[in-house]
Each structure stands twice: as C-alpha cells, then as structure tokens.
PDB file of all heavy atoms in Angstrom:
ATOM      1  N   TYR O 546      54.049  10.877  48.620  1.00 92.00           N
ATOM      2  CA  TYR O 546      54.283  10.303  47.297  1.00 92.00           C
ATOM      3  C   TYR O 546      54.604   8.816  47.427  1.00 92.00           C
ATOM      4  O   TYR O 546      55.391   8.410  48.285  1.00 92.00           O
ATOM      5  CB  TYR O 546      55.422  11.038  46.597  1.00 92.00           C
ATOM      6  CG  TYR O 546      55.098  12.487  46.295  1.00 92.00           C
ATOM      7  CD1 TYR O 546      55.623  13.518  47.063  1.00 92.00           C
ATOM      8  CD2 TYR O 546      54.250  12.813  45.244  1.00 92.00           C
ATOM      9  CE1 TYR O 546      55.313  14.847  46.790  1.00 92.00           C
ATOM     10  CE2 TYR O 546      53.934  14.136  44.961  1.00 92.00           C
ATOM     11  CZ  TYR O 546      54.472  15.150  45.737  1.00 92.00           C
ATOM     12  OH  TYR O 546      54.157  16.457  45.465  1.00 92.00           O
ATOM     13  N   HIS O 547      54.032   8.009  46.530  1.00 94.00           N
ATOM     14  CA  HIS O 547      54.033   6.568  46.790  1.00 94.00           C
ATOM     15  C   HIS O 547      55.420   5.935  46.705  1.00 94.00           C
ATOM     16  O   HIS O 547      55.654   4.890  47.309  1.00 94.00           O
ATOM     17  CB  HIS O 547      53.058   5.854  45.842  1.00 94.00           C
ATOM     18  CG  HIS O 547      53.453   5.843  44.404  1.00 94.00           C
ATOM     19  ND1 HIS O 547      53.236   6.901  43.553  1.00 94.00           N
ATOM     20  CD2 HIS O 547      54.053   4.886  43.649  1.00 94.00           C
ATOM     21  CE1 HIS O 547      53.674   6.609  42.348  1.00 94.00           C
ATOM     22  NE2 HIS O 547      54.178   5.390  42.377  1.00 94.00           N
ATOM     23  N   TRP O 548      56.362   6.542  45.998  1.00 95.00           N
ATOM     24  CA  TRP O 548      57.696   5.922  45.898  1.00 95.00           C
ATOM     25  C   TRP O 548      58.503   6.060  47.187  1.00 95.00           C
ATOM     26  O   TRP O 548      59.525   5.403  47.348  1.00 95.00           O
ATOM     27  CB  TRP O 548      58.474   6.497  44.713  1.00 95.00           C
ATOM     28  CG  TRP O 548      58.537   7.987  44.645  1.00 95.00           C
ATOM     29  CD1 TRP O 548      59.470   8.799  45.210  1.00 95.00           C
ATOM     30  CD2 TRP O 548      57.622   8.850  43.950  1.00 95.00           C
ATOM     31  NE1 TRP O 548      59.204  10.115  44.920  1.00 95.00           N
ATOM     32  CE2 TRP O 548      58.070  10.182  44.135  1.00 95.00           C
ATOM     33  CE3 TRP O 548      56.484   8.637  43.174  1.00 95.00           C
ATOM     34  CZ2 TRP O 548      57.407  11.279  43.585  1.00 95.00           C
ATOM     35  CZ3 TRP O 548      55.829   9.733  42.631  1.00 95.00           C
ATOM     36  CH2 TRP O 548      56.291  11.030  42.844  1.00 95.00           C
ATOM     37  N   TYR O 549      58.050   6.886  48.122  1.00 96.00           N
ATOM     38  CA  TYR O 549      58.762   7.018  49.401  1.00 96.00           C
ATOM     39  C   TYR O 549      58.604   5.781  50.291  1.00 96.00           C
ATOM     40  O   TYR O 549      59.338   5.623  51.262  1.00 96.00           O
ATOM     41  CB  TYR O 549      58.250   8.238  50.172  1.00 96.00           C
ATOM     42  CG  TYR O 549      58.578   9.568  49.546  1.00 96.00           C
ATOM     43  CD1 TYR O 549      57.798  10.689  49.806  1.00 96.00           C
ATOM     44  CD2 TYR O 549      59.663   9.729  48.693  1.00 96.00           C
ATOM     45  CE1 TYR O 549      58.091  11.925  49.241  1.00 96.00           C
ATOM     46  CE2 TYR O 549      59.957  10.949  48.125  1.00 96.00           C
ATOM     47  CZ  TYR O 549      59.162  12.050  48.398  1.00 96.00           C
ATOM     48  OH  TYR O 549      59.446  13.265  47.835  1.00 96.00           O
ATOM     49  N   TYR O 550      57.652   4.921  49.976  1.00 97.00           N
ATOM     50  CA  TYR O 550      57.342   3.797  50.864  1.00 97.00           C
ATOM     51  C   TYR O 550      58.099   2.518  50.492  1.00 97.00           C
ATOM     52  O   TYR O 550      57.837   1.468  51.073  1.00 97.00           O
ATOM     53  CB  TYR O 550      55.833   3.541  50.857  1.00 97.00           C
ATOM     54  CG  TYR O 550      55.048   4.711  51.370  1.00 97.00           C
ATOM     55  CD1 TYR O 550      54.570   5.689  50.504  1.00 97.00           C
ATOM     56  CD2 TYR O 550      54.819   4.885  52.737  1.00 97.00           C
ATOM     57  CE1 TYR O 550      53.876   6.792  50.966  1.00 97.00           C
ATOM     58  CE2 TYR O 550      54.118   5.982  53.207  1.00 97.00           C
ATOM     59  CZ  TYR O 550      53.659   6.936  52.313  1.00 97.00           C
ATOM     60  OH  TYR O 550      52.982   8.034  52.789  1.00 97.00           O
ATOM     61  N   ALA O 551      59.032   2.611  49.578  1.00 97.00           N
ATOM     62  CA  ALA O 551      59.760   1.420  49.119  1.00 97.00           C
ATOM     63  C   ALA O 551      60.458   0.659  50.246  1.00 97.00           C
ATOM     64  O   ALA O 551      60.393  -0.583  50.273  1.00 97.00           O
ATOM     65  CB  ALA O 551      60.769   1.818  48.039  1.00 97.00           C
ATOM     66  N   PRO O 552      61.150   1.337  51.187  1.00 98.00           N
ATOM     67  CA  PRO O 552      61.809   0.558  52.244  1.00 98.00           C
ATOM     68  C   PRO O 552      60.846  -0.309  53.046  1.00 98.00           C
ATOM     69  O   PRO O 552      61.179  -1.440  53.420  1.00 98.00           O
ATOM     70  CB  PRO O 552      62.462   1.639  53.128  1.00 98.00           C
ATOM     71  CG  PRO O 552      62.666   2.793  52.217  1.00 98.00           C
ATOM     72  CD  PRO O 552      61.478   2.771  51.297  1.00 98.00           C
ATOM     73  N   TYR O 553      59.652   0.202  53.310  1.00 98.00           N
ATOM     74  CA  TYR O 553      58.684  -0.583  54.080  1.00 98.00           C
ATOM     75  C   TYR O 553      58.262  -1.835  53.308  1.00 98.00           C
ATOM     76  O   TYR O 553      58.161  -2.920  53.879  1.00 98.00           O
ATOM     77  CB  TYR O 553      57.451   0.254  54.419  1.00 98.00           C
ATOM     78  CG  TYR O 553      57.774   1.559  55.091  1.00 98.00           C
ATOM     79  CD1 TYR O 553      57.701   2.753  54.395  1.00 98.00           C
ATOM     80  CD2 TYR O 553      58.169   1.593  56.428  1.00 98.00           C
ATOM     81  CE1 TYR O 553      57.999   3.959  54.998  1.00 98.00           C
ATOM     82  CE2 TYR O 553      58.473   2.792  57.044  1.00 98.00           C
ATOM     83  CZ  TYR O 553      58.397   3.975  56.324  1.00 98.00           C
ATOM     84  OH  TYR O 553      58.714   5.169  56.926  1.00 98.00           O
ATOM     85  N   PHE O 554      58.045  -1.678  52.024  1.00 98.00           N
ATOM     86  CA  PHE O 554      57.560  -2.813  51.243  1.00 98.00           C
ATOM     87  C   PHE O 554      58.653  -3.861  51.026  1.00 98.00           C
ATOM     88  O   PHE O 554      58.370  -5.059  51.081  1.00 98.00           O
ATOM     89  CB  PHE O 554      56.989  -2.336  49.907  1.00 98.00           C
ATOM     90  CG  PHE O 554      55.611  -1.752  50.019  1.00 98.00           C
ATOM     91  CD1 PHE O 554      55.380  -0.405  49.752  1.00 98.00           C
ATOM     92  CD2 PHE O 554      54.540  -2.539  50.396  1.00 98.00           C
ATOM     93  CE1 PHE O 554      54.115   0.137  49.856  1.00 98.00           C
ATOM     94  CE2 PHE O 554      53.261  -2.010  50.499  1.00 98.00           C
ATOM     95  CZ  PHE O 554      53.041  -0.660  50.238  1.00 98.00           C
ATOM     96  N   ILE O 555      59.884  -3.436  50.779  1.00 98.00           N
ATOM     97  CA  ILE O 555      60.927  -4.440  50.558  1.00 98.00           C
ATOM     98  C   ILE O 555      61.185  -5.227  51.837  1.00 98.00           C
ATOM     99  O   ILE O 555      61.348  -6.449  51.801  1.00 98.00           O
ATOM    100  CB  ILE O 555      62.226  -3.793  50.005  1.00 98.00           C
ATOM    101  CG1 ILE O 555      63.224  -4.877  49.599  1.00 98.00           C
ATOM    102  CG2 ILE O 555      62.855  -2.843  51.005  1.00 98.00           C
ATOM    103  CD1 ILE O 555      62.764  -5.770  48.499  1.00 98.00           C
ATOM    104  N   PHE O 556      61.199  -4.552  52.979  1.00 98.00           N
ATOM    105  CA  PHE O 556      61.406  -5.284  54.233  1.00 98.00           C
ATOM    106  C   PHE O 556      60.164  -6.092  54.605  1.00 98.00           C
ATOM    107  O   PHE O 556      60.271  -7.145  55.242  1.00 98.00           O
ATOM    108  CB  PHE O 556      61.802  -4.335  55.356  1.00 98.00           C
ATOM    109  CG  PHE O 556      63.206  -3.797  55.220  1.00 98.00           C
ATOM    110  CD1 PHE O 556      63.431  -2.454  55.002  1.00 98.00           C
ATOM    111  CD2 PHE O 556      64.297  -4.648  55.291  1.00 98.00           C
ATOM    112  CE1 PHE O 556      64.725  -1.956  54.853  1.00 98.00           C
ATOM    113  CE2 PHE O 556      65.590  -4.167  55.144  1.00 98.00           C
ATOM    114  CZ  PHE O 556      65.806  -2.815  54.923  1.00 98.00           C
ATOM    115  N   ALA O 557      58.985  -5.610  54.195  1.00 98.00           N
ATOM    116  CA  ALA O 557      57.767  -6.395  54.442  1.00 98.00           C
ATOM    117  C   ALA O 557      57.831  -7.731  53.719  1.00 98.00           C
ATOM    118  O   ALA O 557      57.458  -8.772  54.279  1.00 98.00           O
ATOM    119  CB  ALA O 557      56.538  -5.606  53.993  1.00 98.00           C
ATOM    120  N   ILE O 558      58.329  -7.730  52.485  1.00 98.00           N
ATOM    121  CA  ILE O 558      58.433  -8.994  51.751  1.00 98.00           C
ATOM    122  C   ILE O 558      59.497  -9.898  52.382  1.00 98.00           C
ATOM    123  O   ILE O 558      59.361 -11.127  52.392  1.00 98.00           O
ATOM    124  CB  ILE O 558      58.739  -8.739  50.267  1.00 98.00           C
ATOM    125  CG1 ILE O 558      57.641  -7.869  49.641  1.00 98.00           C
ATOM    126  CG2 ILE O 558      58.836 -10.063  49.510  1.00 98.00           C
ATOM    127  CD1 ILE O 558      56.256  -8.466  49.720  1.00 98.00           C
ATOM    128  N   VAL O 559      60.568  -9.287  52.912  1.00 98.00           N
ATOM    129  CA  VAL O 559      61.570 -10.079  53.634  1.00 98.00           C
ATOM    130  C   VAL O 559      60.911 -10.850  54.776  1.00 98.00           C
ATOM    131  O   VAL O 559      61.073 -12.080  54.905  1.00 98.00           O
ATOM    132  CB  VAL O 559      62.695  -9.175  54.194  1.00 98.00           C
ATOM    133  CG1 VAL O 559      63.538  -9.930  55.234  1.00 98.00           C
ATOM    134  CG2 VAL O 559      63.578  -8.656  53.073  1.00 98.00           C
ATOM    135  N   TYR O 560      60.133 -10.131  55.598  1.00 97.00           N
ATOM    136  CA  TYR O 560      59.552 -10.774  56.781  1.00 97.00           C
ATOM    137  C   TYR O 560      58.341 -11.632  56.416  1.00 97.00           C
ATOM    138  O   TYR O 560      58.035 -12.594  57.124  1.00 97.00           O
ATOM    139  CB  TYR O 560      59.210  -9.724  57.827  1.00 97.00           C
ATOM    140  CG  TYR O 560      60.465  -9.078  58.373  1.00 97.00           C
ATOM    141  CD1 TYR O 560      60.721  -7.722  58.190  1.00 97.00           C
ATOM    142  CD2 TYR O 560      61.421  -9.845  59.034  1.00 97.00           C
ATOM    143  CE1 TYR O 560      61.893  -7.144  58.659  1.00 97.00           C
ATOM    144  CE2 TYR O 560      62.593  -9.280  59.498  1.00 97.00           C
ATOM    145  CZ  TYR O 560      62.822  -7.922  59.314  1.00 97.00           C
ATOM    146  OH  TYR O 560      63.994  -7.367  59.765  1.00 97.00           O
ATOM    147  N   CYS O 561      57.684 -11.299  55.313  1.00 97.00           N
ATOM    148  CA  CYS O 561      56.623 -12.186  54.821  1.00 97.00           C
ATOM    149  C   CYS O 561      57.217 -13.553  54.455  1.00 97.00           C
ATOM    150  O   CYS O 561      56.664 -14.605  54.809  1.00 97.00           O
ATOM    151  CB  CYS O 561      55.945 -11.554  53.603  1.00 97.00           C
ATOM    152  SG  CYS O 561      54.822 -12.655  52.727  1.00 97.00           S
ATOM    153  N   THR O 562      58.351 -13.518  53.762  1.00 97.00           N
ATOM    154  CA  THR O 562      59.023 -14.773  53.400  1.00 97.00           C
ATOM    155  C   THR O 562      59.465 -15.525  54.649  1.00 97.00           C
ATOM    156  O   THR O 562      59.323 -16.756  54.735  1.00 97.00           O
ATOM    157  CB  THR O 562      60.235 -14.482  52.503  1.00 97.00           C
ATOM    158  OG1 THR O 562      59.830 -13.670  51.391  1.00 97.00           O
ATOM    159  CG2 THR O 562      60.834 -15.776  51.978  1.00 97.00           C
ATOM    160  N   GLN O 563      59.985 -14.788  55.628  1.00 96.00           N
ATOM    161  CA  GLN O 563      60.362 -15.426  56.896  1.00 96.00           C
ATOM    162  C   GLN O 563      59.153 -16.064  57.566  1.00 96.00           C
ATOM    163  O   GLN O 563      59.248 -17.133  58.180  1.00 96.00           O
ATOM    164  CB  GLN O 563      60.999 -14.397  57.838  1.00 96.00           C
ATOM    165  CG  GLN O 563      62.324 -13.829  57.362  1.00 96.00           C
ATOM    166  CD  GLN O 563      63.497 -14.773  57.555  1.00 96.00           C
ATOM    167  OE1 GLN O 563      63.316 -15.966  57.768  1.00 96.00           O
ATOM    168  NE2 GLN O 563      64.711 -14.236  57.471  1.00 96.00           N
ATOM    169  N   GLY O 564      57.998 -15.399  57.452  1.00 96.00           N
ATOM    170  CA  GLY O 564      56.772 -15.957  58.017  1.00 96.00           C
ATOM    171  C   GLY O 564      56.368 -17.254  57.347  1.00 96.00           C
ATOM    172  O   GLY O 564      55.936 -18.206  58.010  1.00 96.00           O
ATOM    173  N   ILE O 565      56.494 -17.310  56.027  1.00 95.00           N
ATOM    174  CA  ILE O 565      56.172 -18.535  55.298  1.00 95.00           C
ATOM    175  C   ILE O 565      57.124 -19.665  55.699  1.00 95.00           C
ATOM    176  O   ILE O 565      56.707 -20.817  55.914  1.00 95.00           O
ATOM    177  CB  ILE O 565      56.241 -18.287  53.779  1.00 95.00           C
ATOM    178  CG1 ILE O 565      55.113 -17.340  53.357  1.00 95.00           C
ATOM    179  CG2 ILE O 565      56.147 -19.602  53.006  1.00 95.00           C
ATOM    180  CD1 ILE O 565      55.209 -16.874  51.925  1.00 95.00           C
ATOM    181  N   LEU O 566      58.416 -19.321  55.824  1.00 93.00           N
ATOM    182  CA  LEU O 566      59.396 -20.327  56.235  1.00 93.00           C
ATOM    183  C   LEU O 566      59.144 -20.804  57.658  1.00 93.00           C
ATOM    184  O   LEU O 566      59.355 -21.985  57.979  1.00 93.00           O
ATOM    185  CB  LEU O 566      60.807 -19.755  56.106  1.00 93.00           C
ATOM    186  CG  LEU O 566      61.247 -19.392  54.682  1.00 93.00           C
ATOM    187  CD1 LEU O 566      62.613 -18.720  54.699  1.00 93.00           C
ATOM    188  CD2 LEU O 566      61.264 -20.626  53.789  1.00 93.00           C
ATOM    189  N   LEU O 567      58.663 -19.900  58.517  1.00 92.00           N
ATOM    190  CA  LEU O 567      58.313 -20.286  59.886  1.00 92.00           C
ATOM    191  C   LEU O 567      57.177 -21.301  59.885  1.00 92.00           C
ATOM    192  O   LEU O 567      57.224 -22.306  60.621  1.00 92.00           O
ATOM    193  CB  LEU O 567      57.908 -19.035  60.677  1.00 92.00           C
ATOM    194  CG  LEU O 567      57.370 -19.277  62.096  1.00 92.00           C
ATOM    195  CD1 LEU O 567      58.471 -19.853  62.990  1.00 92.00           C
ATOM    196  CD2 LEU O 567      56.817 -17.974  62.689  1.00 92.00           C
ATOM    197  N   ILE O 568      56.174 -21.048  59.054  1.00 90.00           N
ATOM    198  CA  ILE O 568      55.058 -21.993  58.945  1.00 90.00           C
ATOM    199  C   ILE O 568      55.544 -23.350  58.457  1.00 90.00           C
ATOM    200  O   ILE O 568      55.134 -24.404  58.961  1.00 90.00           O
ATOM    201  CB  ILE O 568      53.972 -21.426  58.017  1.00 90.00           C
ATOM    202  CG1 ILE O 568      53.288 -20.217  58.686  1.00 90.00           C
ATOM    203  CG2 ILE O 568      52.941 -22.489  57.652  1.00 90.00           C
ATOM    204  CD1 ILE O 568      52.318 -19.485  57.790  1.00 90.00           C
ATOM    205  N   ALA O 569      56.456 -23.314  57.467  1.00 88.00           N
ATOM    206  CA  ALA O 569      57.010 -24.573  56.956  1.00 88.00           C
ATOM    207  C   ALA O 569      57.757 -25.330  58.054  1.00 88.00           C
ATOM    208  O   ALA O 569      57.626 -26.557  58.176  1.00 88.00           O
ATOM    209  CB  ALA O 569      57.946 -24.283  55.784  1.00 88.00           C
ATOM    210  N   ASP O 570      58.504 -24.588  58.879  1.00 85.00           N
ATOM    211  CA  ASP O 570      59.249 -25.232  59.977  1.00 85.00           C
ATOM    212  C   ASP O 570      58.303 -25.836  61.012  1.00 85.00           C
ATOM    213  O   ASP O 570      58.508 -26.966  61.491  1.00 85.00           O
ATOM    214  CB  ASP O 570      60.163 -24.204  60.652  1.00 85.00           C
ATOM    215  CG  ASP O 570      61.312 -23.761  59.755  1.00 85.00           C
ATOM    216  OD1 ASP O 570      61.602 -24.479  58.783  1.00 85.00           O
ATOM    217  OD2 ASP O 570      61.889 -22.690  60.021  1.00 85.00           O
ATOM    218  N   ILE O 571      57.257 -25.064  61.366  1.00 85.00           N
ATOM    219  CA  ILE O 571      56.316 -25.548  62.383  1.00 85.00           C
ATOM    220  C   ILE O 571      55.567 -26.781  61.888  1.00 85.00           C
ATOM    221  O   ILE O 571      55.454 -27.798  62.598  1.00 85.00           O
ATOM    222  CB  ILE O 571      55.328 -24.432  62.764  1.00 85.00           C
ATOM    223  CG1 ILE O 571      56.054 -23.294  63.496  1.00 85.00           C
ATOM    224  CG2 ILE O 571      54.195 -24.984  63.628  1.00 85.00           C
ATOM    225  CD1 ILE O 571      55.194 -22.072  63.746  1.00 85.00           C
TER     226      ILE O 571
END
C-alpha cells in the first residue's frame, strides 16, 4: 500500500536537499 512508503520519501527529500546544498558548496 502506497502510504507505507512515507519514511523513504521524507528522508529522500532530506538528502535531495543536502545534495543540492552540496552542489552549491562545490
């Protein structure tokens, strides 16, 4: 059921944002 995957998606956005900030730093 699709609502079971919420933890993966919320943490994915956390690390996606970290990835964008990493690019900005580099």
Side-chain angles (χ1 to χ4, degrees):
Y546 295 103
H547 68 279
W548 51 89
Y549 292 155
Y550 298 92
Y553 307 105
F554 282 115
I555 188 63
F556 288 115
I558 302 301
V559 166
Y560 293 116
C561 170
T562 307
Q563 295 283 16
I565 292 172
L566 296 175
L567 174 66
I568 291 173
D570 291 342
I571 293 172

